[in-house]
Amino acid sequence: MTPHPLTWLYVPGDRPPVVAKALAAGADVVVIDLEDAVAPDRKEYARAATAERLADPQPVPVHVRVNALDSPWAAADLGALARLPGLSGLRLPNVTGPADVLRVAAATPVPLYALLETALGIEHAYAIACAHPALRGIALGEADLRADLGVRADAGLDWPRSRVIVAARAAGLAPPPQSVHPDIRDLDGLAASCAHGRALGFLGRAAIHPRQLPVIERAYLPTPAEIEHAETVIKAAAAQPGAQALPDGRFIDAAVVTTAQRTLSLARRR
């Protein structure tokens, strides 16, 4: 079974040499961005360069963030890229309702990932997550959402974050990854933000520079203490099925065992 991605590295679609470096940077998924990272006069070049790159299978999974579905470029993006051998997923910006997902799912067999970037998208999070079997995940686009809501303090986004996490899990999807940390020099801030995101229920994070990748992976992989506890729980459950208390007084039941199994599954990525 392929491990769930922890790192998603965004790279501008109009810079093929940078894309080539990103594919060797160690990210679980490389996301070629045709939207925010590409100026309007470079859209056609970015699309053509991306189509050329994805004409063949790639060494790591590659997703493409297409332009917003209501933009002048979205239809051409989908037409050029939707069935290429090197494409593993399409990331759809500014999804506001299930109809956006259904429209793209009808045009491509590729797995889809919806980015929720507005208050309306957050309000429809569960309906979007359930819209079509081709939808494999939802996530936040926090920069756009922050602007839409007028949020200044980071804590103001915690409710939308939790809303998206709950919607994804309620729909049977994997926990969403965190949105990007925009300051590529602030690795301490990135680590602290990842710890907060992990506590909320995110799993993994989008990055915009390779130096962010090891910080994200360390933050989301279990610590030695967490692994040790998980192993203790699994051993105790195997010896005595059912609810019980460990020698240190901690209570375990089926839910605790499931959490321990997830912890050990993540630890095997090392």
Side-chain angles (χ1 to χ4, degrees), residues 11-22 32-33 37-38 42 45-46 49-50 53:
V11 60
D14 63 341
R15 299 177 65 186
V18 178
V19 173
K21 290 181 180 178
I32 300 178
D33 187 9
V38 178
R42 299 275 290 174
Y45 172 72
T50 300
R53 162 66 64 179

Side-chain angles (χ1 to χ4, degrees), residues 94-189:
N94 197 24
V95 172
T96 59
D100 294 336
V101 176
L102 294 173
R103 183 170 18 140
V104 179
T108 175
V110 175
L112 305 177
Y113 298 80
L115 299 174
L116 313 186
E117 302 176 342
T118 63
L120 184 59
I122 298 301
E123 283 299 297
H124 292 161
Y126 179 67
I128 292 168
C130 296
H132 194 278
L135 189 78
R136 306 296 172 80
I138 60 175
L140 287 177
E142 289 193 358
D144 291 285
L145 181 60
R146 190 185 298 271
D148 189 46
L149 297 177
V151 169
R152 296 187 180 182
D154 186 72
L157 291 180
D158 277 356
W159 185 85
R161 290 165 177 156
S162 293
R163 178 73 178 268
V164 168
I165 291 164
V166 171
R169 301 305 294 138
L173 302 176
Q178 278 185 275
S179 188
V180 299
H181 185 73
D183 188 341
I184 63 173
R185 298 165 298 178
D186 180 23
L187 299 184
D188 289 340

Side-chain angles (χ1 to χ4, degrees), residues 11-16 19 32-35 37-55 62-68 71-84 87 90:
V11 60
D14 63 341
R15 299 177 65 186
V19 173
I32 300 178
D33 187 9
L34 302 183
E35 193 207 19
V38 178
D41 64 350
R42 299 275 290 174
K43 297 288 189 185
E44 291 187 10
Y45 172 72
R47 183 188 309 121
T50 300
E52 182 178 359
R53 162 66 64 179
L54 300 183
V62 176
H63 293 189
V64 173
R65 178 164 72 175
V66 297
N67 285 283
S71 74
W73 307 286
D77 291 346
L78 295 172
L81 305 171
R83 297 178 183 274
L84 293 176
L87 181 67
L90 286 171

